[in-house]
Amino acid sequence: MRDWLIHIKRGEYASLQTQIREALVSAILDRQLDQQEPIPSTRKMAKSLGVSRNTVVLAYQGLLDDGYLLAKQRSGYFVSDKALEDHMPKARKAASPEKPKGTGLNWERLVNKHPSHQPNTVKVRNWQDFAYPFIYGQVDHTLFPLAEWRDCTRQALGKKWLGDWTNDFTNEDDPLLVEQIRRRILPRRGIMAHDDEILVTLGAQNAIYLITSLLVNQDTRVVMEEPGYPDMRNIFQLRSQNVGLAPVDQSGLMLGPELDNAQIVYTTPSHQFPTTVTMPLERRMALLKKASEKNFIVVEDDYEFETNYVNEPCPALKSLDDDGRVIYVGSLSKTLFPGLRLGFMVAPKALIAEARALRRLMVRHAPSNNQRTAALFLSLGHHDALIRKLHKAYRTRWEIMGAALSKHLPSSARNPSFGGTSYWVKGPAKLDADALSQAATAKGVLINPGRICFGAAQAPRNYFRLAFSSIDEKKIEPGIKLLSELIKQPS
Amino acid sequence: MRDWLIHIKRGEYASLQTQIREALVSAILDRQLDQQEPIPSTRKMAKSLGVSRNTVVLAYQGLLDDGYLLAKQRSGYFVSDKALEDHMPKARKAASPEKPKGTGLNWERLVNKHPSHQPNTVKVRNWQDFAYPFIYGQVDHTLFPLAEWRDCTRQALGKKWLGDWTNDFTNEDDPLLVEQIRRRILPRRGIMAHDDEILVTLGAQNAIYLITSLLVNQDTRVVMEEPGYPDMRNIFQLRSQNVGLAPVDQSGLMLGPELDNAQIVYTTPSHQFPTTVTMPLERRMALLKKASEKNFIVVEDDYEFETNYVNEPCPALKSLDDDGRVIYVGSLSKTLFPGLRLGFMVAPKALIAEARALRRLMVRHAPSNNQRTAALFLSLGHHDALIRKLHKAYRTRWEIMGAALSKHLPSSARNPSFGGTSYWVKGPAKLDADALSQAATAKGVLINPGRICFGAAQAPRNYFRLAFSSIDEKKIEPGIKLLSELIKQPS
């Protein structure tokens, strides 16, 4: 028996039976097995791997059922012709694997835009390997209700609903999810909507992309907050030459002259991105008044579920909007998990109809299995329970973080923050937060430098963001202490 | 006890315990329960619903754990203040639910494109309720390996991989899925590619949308097949004023003068959409030669896994492309299920980098839980086994269908079709296939009228498509008989 064939690991992600199957399928399809020779008997294989014979018998049986193996009387198990026959067409030989292709065309010139040239936040993929991850937008596994999510997945994949989750919905959404958004999520924000005013999107990101595609031309005057959400700025700049930046104060977006000629204004009132300041009710009313007077559309990105650790949360702009000029964008990624890519938008019916038709061409719809699972998760109250749990955990971290910042970085400034999942910190004037981030990473401290959030060419370099949604509360104080030492070091 | 509160159904999708939880959560969050009054005891509830007391105890326990209920000594279970407190902000009262909003703005004029005005295939959502569904692009549940898919889902959601599937990948893909596409799927088509030449997309649809966004301007000369894929035509027409249509013969796309000034040519060589004709090797070579001479880019949409019931499948254009001017688009939707929305594109590295950056802004990435599940499904050989199973089942249906068409519709014409999952039928000259489709629907026969596949204003009305991917083989002959009777009826 060729011992290169199968390596199994106990305690690995998959069962032993699964590992045996995977290794054999791989060897068969890669033609590493001689078809003339039987593969090892179940007894031999079991012995060689040190697993129970039943495990091997079950793995072999699955491969027989699926046509990978043939059992020949008295001679044992062989690789089936059928498995190989239709796997590799003869054409394969025609391909020249290692010859570099596409070097002849100048793709740099052929494409009409270069999104890859746009600066944007760089996320560290293996953030879990760092001791002090003050990073934003990933899931804290200690808070995620894995068992409940798995249970909903199991139920959603049930035979009774097979037709619902396997089908191409074309341009529709799962009616159960739309209902849950309408009944459970929007009322939290004071928003009442009909089903045809709601569109499920591939995350909030997809909603703002759809809105921009429909409403922004080359000359459209769009205005966003400065500092603001880099992805939004990138999307706007891919389409319009006329992107305005309006400053932010302690009440969020300022209603200055930048907005006067605006056709679209993008804002994040709940927790301004990245400063986390909350727009108070008076500013909200004033913004809506100005929108009416100057006749612009407001895109309200409520990317994070509302949290206010001090007062009642403020109602969404959309709930105060009598003109129907606010387009509301929400996300399920911050409560469920960002990898799920589920968000939604609420807007007048006529706009939703166009966004739905455009979404059909762009992606058709969010995967139907995930829509159904999320609908179940909401309908069973797991989502509301999760929000309560997150609110409690985040509030504690927010307090610990506030205290640690006051203690270790007393010279830094912070906006008054009553919610959200991060602090926006202004370091000493001479600080280069990009350099700080690099030095901190080497010490196991992950932070988000703030410069990327500014659209102006002459952006300050001394801001950074410390998020507390993914870091254990016990790590907060030591992490900030480490950071303060790095800041104090002469550079 | 208010008996409106809970209705449970035995044999319903969810367990009894789940149904009890769902009903109680719903009543609590909708404030239908009096907080001063205890909810019925577990004993009473069990008796009233006719279920075991344990079932109710477990449901109540879950609600206690999640803070929906409070247990008070000697008085029973009450709705918790906490559950209600943060659910409905006071702002709700500010909203005026029934007042129609957004009627003030003219959205029809505000949007810069009107995808909702574009004609497109209309899919029947409840196709399973029809006796003879000759429809395209849905899953035949009798062929889908549900148990294997569920098993892969269960494994993918395991704790060990939690970090992989919950995280925001930003612009990356699941490396396990990319590996499987590279090792298992592309070699079937004769294509060798590096990881940085592969991008996972939200279905093939998303790939063609990304390609168009990057390569097509208002004046770009794009050429596609006539008849052809309506979604592609719609995407092209949203961007370019210069969409050319090139006729199709029995070898697929014809290489006539329409292609001479083309910058982008879109084609479906495996099974031309909708005629299902396969482009033979000579035509493929000639197309690539012309592409080199005229310097255009070829988008090869291999939307359906290659099937040829008579000969060996032909290698993909991409596998024959030495210039790197072919962009290959593939789908997992036709073998797995369309609701999953997973596809991919293969192109030179420089283009993939731009497409990846654009995808980040558009949707970020395909949901990570689905990527991991699909990767497992592929690596365990379930996908290859499924393809073998589908090939066998489709071949049988293709033969039955061919015989039934010859018998019942001898006067109709068909392209020589050696693969795919449908027949493209040319009815009598005077036939109006839209009217036929309507009449047929009333008799339980679903067909796809063909007019939508033509871009020309004066399109023939007598074509229709009969797909056999979702219909039981026993239903084929009687369905075609019914259809032939409708065609023969004087209209």
Side-chain angles (χ1 to χ4, degrees):
Chain A
M1 181 178 166
R2 293 140 93 182
D3 60 3
W4 51 260
L5 185 58
I6 295 190
H7 300 282
I8 57 169
K9 290 185 203 164
R10 284 175 191 281
E12 192 44 35
Y13 67 89
S15 69
L16 297 174
Q17 189 190 323
T18 298
Q19 291 185 56
I20 295 169
R21 180 184 170 108
E22 188 172 353
L24 280 171
V25 164
S26 188
I28 291 168
L29 294 181
D30 295 346
R31 295 175 185 249
Q32 295 175 339
L33 295 182
D34 189 337
Q35 279 191 266
Q36 310 309 318
E37 240 177 80
I39 65 164
S41 69
T42 53
R43 193 182 303 274
K44 227 167 155 181
M45 179 70 90
K47 200 176 160 209
S48 131
L49 297 174
V51 303
S52 94
R53 192 167 161 218
N54 267 355
T55 303
V56 180
V57 167
L58 289 169
Y60 280 27
Q61 187 56 49
L63 293 170
L64 278 171
D65 292 346
D66 290 340
Y68 287 99
L69 295 180
L70 280 176
K72 292 189 190 165
Q73 206 88 44
R74 275 172 237 268
S75 342
Y77 295 101
F78 290 79
V79 173
S80 149
D81 283 347
K82 198 83 199 96
L84 294 176
E85 203 168 79
D86 57 14
H87 187 61
M88 306 268 183
K90 298 203 179 83
R92 183 177 179 166
K93 282 134 209 160
S96 34
E98 287 313 323
K99 184 173 164 196
K101 289 177 176 184
T103 43
L105 300 191
N106 187 345
W107 291 98
E108 188 75 11
R109 271 190 49 208
L110 283 167
V111 298
N112 58 29
K113 44 178 153 299
H114 298 90
S116 80
H117 298 191
Q118 293 180 320
N120 208 330
T121 314
V122 179
K123 297 202 180 181
V124 177
R125 180 93 181 231
N126 64 334
W127 64 271
Q128 281 125 318
D129 300 340
F130 290 79
Y132 310 101
F134 290 103
I135 47 121
Y136 185 80
Q138 300 291 11
V139 158
D140 182 340
H141 296 159
T142 62
L143 297 174
F144 184 72
L146 182 59
E148 287 80 3
W149 179 259
R150 290 180 72 164
D151 181 55
C152 290
T153 300
R154 194 182 51 72
Q155 291 197 37
L157 294 188
K159 215 162 193 159
K160 298 224 176 195
W161 278 349
L162 195 55
D164 288 336
W165 61 265
T166 54
N167 275 350
D168 179 355
F169 290 177
T170 320
N171 56 9
E172 292 176 55
D173 290 314
D174 188 336
L176 297 197
L177 181 58
V178 174
E179 184 195 340
Q180 289 299 316
I181 291 171
R182 178 171 52 72
R183 282 183 50 196
R184 289 282 158 76
I185 296 185
L186 296 179
R188 284 184 163 276
R189 310 298 295 120
I191 299 170
M192 313 296 276
H194 297 283
D195 283 358
D196 56 7
E197 295 169 324
I198 301 170
L199 186 75
V200 176
T201 57
L202 267 289
Q205 186 76 32
N206 185 220
I208 58 179
Y209 194 92
L210 284 164
I211 293 164
T212 307
S213 299
L214 286 169
L215 296 173
V216 179
N217 287 327
Q218 207 179 338
D219 311 312
T220 307
R221 171 74 176 167
V222 291
V223 177
M224 61 176 285
E225 299 153 340
E226 170 82 346
Y229 182 46
D231 282 79
M232 184 74 259
R233 200 173 52 238
N234 286 342
I235 293 173
F236 278 156
Q237 285 178 344
L238 280 188
R239 295 189 76 86
S240 170
Q241 305 294 318
N242 194 0
V243 181
L245 305 169
V248 167
D249 67 8
Q250 302 203 343
S251 301
L253 177 69
M254 292 174 73
L255 310 181
E258 295 84 1
L259 274 59
D260 286 351
N261 302 313
Q263 292 165 274
I264 316 271
V265 171
Y266 169 83
T267 182
T268 50
S270 285
H271 309 293
Q272 200 273 331
F273 190 103
T275 67
T276 77
V277 298
T278 300
M279 190 184 282
L281 193 60
E282 309 76 60
R283 178 73 61 89
R284 291 181 195 225
M285 299 307 288
L287 172 58
L288 290 174
K289 188 160 165 275
K290 184 151 189 163
S292 261
E293 282 165 17
K294 305 287 182 185
N295 196 24
F296 57 75
I297 292 164
V298 178
V299 178
E300 175 181 28
D301 188 348
D302 210 19
Y303 62 97
E304 206 166 53
F305 77 98
E306 81 300 348
T307 43
N308 191 313
Y309 308 126
V310 181
N311 306 305
E312 284 276 312
C314 205
L317 274 177
K318 179 73 189 160
S319 74
L320 309 165
D321 159 43
D322 285 327
D323 284 8
R325 59 173 70 250
V326 176
I327 304 172
Y328 179 87
V329 173
S331 171
L332 294 172
S333 301
K334 294 296 183 294
T335 39
L336 290 167
F337 53 94
L340 183 64
R341 313 303 313 129
L342 274 181
F344 54 93
M345 63 185 270
V346 183
K349 187 178 152 183
L351 182 63
I352 291 293
E354 294 302 347
R356 187 185 297 283
L358 187 61
R359 191 195 63 187
R360 172 192 179 139
L361 299 178
M362 196 181 277
V363 294
R364 289 212 192 277
H365 53 75
S368 38
N369 57 340
N370 283 344
Q371 288 194 52
R372 180 56 53 98
T373 305
L376 269 175
F377 193 82
L378 281 156
S379 76
L380 290 174
H382 296 312
H383 189 253
D384 289 274
L386 176 58
I387 288 183
R388 285 196 291 276
K389 188 168 152 192
L390 290 176
H391 191 278
K392 208 174 139 200
Y394 290 165
R395 196 202 150 99
T396 307
R397 294 181 192 175
W398 173 77
E399 285 170 352
I400 295 175
M401 192 115 168
L405 284 169
S406 300
K407 181 173 167 195
H408 296 292
L409 289 169
S411 62
S412 68
R414 290 174 265 144
N415 283 91
S417 156
F418 306 115
T421 56
S422 61
Y423 278 92
W424 176 248
V425 184
K426 181 181 179 180
K430 286 197 174 157
L431 180 77
D432 179 339
D434 287 288
L436 173 66
S437 167
Q438 241 180 333
T441 301
K443 303 254 178 199
V445 184
L446 295 180
I447 67 169
N448 288 125
R451 196 162 59 108
I452 195 74
C453 300
F454 290 90
Q458 293 299 320
R461 308 182 64 98
N462 58 329
Y463 283 88
F464 56 94
R465 191 160 54 129
L466 296 179
F468 48 86
S469 49
S470 310
I471 190 168
D472 187 279
E473 58 181 68
K474 290 190 203 66
K475 298 292 190 74
I476 291 177
E477 212 242 307
I480 290 185
K481 186 158 178 279
L482 261 171
L483 202 62
S484 76
E485 285 159 9
L486 287 170
I487 292 177
K488 283 169 201 154
Q489 264 174 25
S491 58
Chain B
M1 184 181 167
R2 294 139 92 180
D3 60 3
W4 52 260
L5 186 58
I6 295 190
H7 300 282
I8 58 169
K9 290 184 203 165
R10 286 176 192 281
E12 195 40 39
Y13 66 88
S15 69
L16 297 175
Q17 189 189 322
T18 297
Q19 291 185 54
I20 295 170
R21 180 184 170 107
E22 189 173 352
L24 279 170
V25 164
S26 188
I28 292 169
L29 294 180
D30 294 347
R31 294 175 186 248
Q32 295 176 337
L33 294 183
D34 189 339
Q35 278 190 267
Q36 309 311 318
E37 241 178 79
I39 64 165
S41 69
T42 53
R43 193 183 303 272
K44 228 167 153 180
M45 180 72 91
K47 200 176 159 208
S48 130
L49 296 174
V51 304
S52 95
R53 191 164 162 219
N54 266 355
T55 303
V56 179
V57 167
L58 289 169
Y60 280 27
Q61 188 56 48
L63 293 171
L64 277 170
D65 292 347
D66 289 340
Y68 287 100
L69 294 181
L70 280 176
K72 292 190 190 164
Q73 206 89 43
R74 274 171 237 265
S75 342
Y77 296 102
F78 290 80
V79 173
S80 150
D81 283 347
K82 199 84 199 93
L84 295 176
E85 203 167 79
D86 57 14
H87 186 61
M88 305 269 185
K90 297 200 180 86
R92 183 176 178 167
K93 281 134 210 162
S96 34
E98 287 314 322
K99 184 174 165 193
K101 288 177 177 183
T103 43
L105 300 190
N106 186 345
W107 291 98
E108 187 76 12
R109 273 191 47 209
L110 284 166
V111 299
N112 58 29
K113 45 178 152 301
H114 297 90
S116 80
H117 298 192
Q118 294 180 319
N120 209 328
T121 315
V122 178
K123 298 201 182 182
V124 177
R125 180 92 181 234
N126 64 333
W127 64 271
Q128 282 125 316
D129 300 340
F130 291 79
Y132 309 101
F134 291 102
I135 47 120
Y136 186 79
Q138 299 292 10
V139 158
D140 181 342
H141 297 159
T142 61
L143 297 174
F144 185 71
L146 182 60
E148 288 79 3
W149 179 259
R150 290 181 72 164
D151 182 57
C152 290
T153 300
R154 194 182 53 72
Q155 291 196 38
L157 294 187
K159 213 161 194 159
K160 298 226 175 194
W161 277 349
L162 195 56
D164 289 336
W165 61 266
T166 55
N167 275 349
D168 177 357
F169 290 177
T170 318
N171 56 8
E172 293 176 55
D173 290 314
D174 187 339
L176 297 197
L177 181 58
V178 174
E179 184 194 340
Q180 290 299 318
I181 291 171
R182 178 170 54 71
R183 283 182 53 198
R184 289 281 159 75
I185 296 184
L186 296 179
R188 284 183 164 275
R189 311 297 295 119
I191 299 170
M192 313 296 277
H194 297 284
D195 283 358
D196 56 8
E197 296 169 324
I198 300 170
L199 186 74
V200 176
T201 56
L202 266 290
Q205 186 75 32
N206 185 220
I208 58 178
Y209 195 93
L210 284 163
I211 294 165
T212 308
S213 299
L214 286 169
L215 296 172
V216 179
N217 287 328
Q218 206 179 339
D219 312 311
T220 308
R221 170 73 176 168
V222 291
V223 177
M224 61 176 284
E225 299 153 341
E226 170 83 346
Y229 182 45
D231 282 78
M232 184 74 258
R233 200 172 53 235
N234 286 341
I235 293 174
F236 278 157
Q237 286 178 343
L238 280 188
R239 296 189 76 88
S240 171
Q241 305 294 318
N242 194 359
V243 181
L245 304 170
V248 167
D249 67 8
Q250 302 203 342
S251 300
L253 177 70
M254 292 175 73
L255 310 180
E258 294 85 1
L259 273 60
D260 286 352
N261 302 312
Q263 292 165 276
I264 317 272
V265 171
Y266 169 84
T267 181
T268 50
S270 285
H271 309 293
Q272 199 272 332
F273 190 101
T275 66
T276 76
V277 298
T278 300
M279 190 184 282
L281 193 59
E282 309 75 60
R283 177 74 60 90
R284 290 181 194 226
M285 300 307 287
L287 171 60
L288 290 173
K289 188 160 167 275
K290 183 150 188 164
S292 260
E293 283 165 15
K294 305 287 182 185
N295 196 25
F296 57 76
I297 293 164
V298 177
V299 178
E300 175 182 28
D301 188 347
D302 212 18
Y303 62 97
E304 203 165 55
F305 76 98
E306 83 297 350
T307 44
N308 191 312
Y309 307 125
V310 182
N311 306 305
E312 283 278 311
C314 204
L317 275 177
K318 179 74 189 158
S319 74
L320 308 165
D321 159 44
D322 285 328
D323 284 6
R325 60 174 70 250
V326 177
I327 304 172
Y328 178 87
V329 173
S331 171
L332 294 171
S333 301
K334 294 293 183 295
T335 39
L336 289 167
F337 52 95
L340 184 64
R341 311 304 314 128
L342 276 180
F344 54 91
M345 61 185 272
V346 183
K349 187 177 153 182
L351 182 62
I352 290 293
E354 295 301 347
R356 187 185 296 284
L358 187 61
R359 192 196 62 186
R360 173 193 178 137
L361 299 178
M362 197 180 277
V363 293
R364 290 211 192 278
H365 52 74
S368 37
N369 58 339
N370 282 345
Q371 288 195 52
R372 180 55 53 98
T373 305
L376 269 176
F377 193 83
L378 281 155
S379 76
L380 290 173
H382 295 312
H383 189 252
D384 289 274
L386 176 58
I387 288 184
R388 285 196 292 276
K389 187 169 151 192
L390 290 177
H391 191 278
K392 209 174 138 200
Y394 289 165
R395 194 200 152 97
T396 307
R397 294 182 191 174
W398 173 77
E399 285 170 352
I400 295 175
M401 191 114 169
L405 283 169
S406 301
K407 182 174 166 195
H408 296 292
L409 289 170
S411 62
S412 68
R414 290 175 264 143
N415 282 92
S417 156
F418 306 116
T421 56
S422 61
Y423 278 93
W424 176 247
V425 184
K426 182 181 179 180
K430 286 197 175 158
L431 180 77
D432 179 340
D434 288 288
L436 173 67
S437 167
Q438 242 181 331
T441 302
K443 304 251 177 203
V445 184
L446 295 180
I447 67 168
N448 288 125
R451 195 163 57 110
I452 195 72
C453 300
F454 290 91
Q458 293 299 320
R461 307 182 66 97
N462 58 330
Y463 283 88
F464 56 95
R465 191 161 54 131
L466 296 179
F468 49 83
S469 49
S470 309
I471 190 168
D472 188 279
E473 57 182 67
K474 289 189 205 67
K475 298 293 190 75
I476 291 177
E477 212 242 309
I480 289 184
K481 187 159 176 280
L482 261 171
L483 202 61
S484 76
E485 286 158 9
L486 287 169
I487 291 177
K488 283 171 203 155
Q489 262 173 25
S491 57

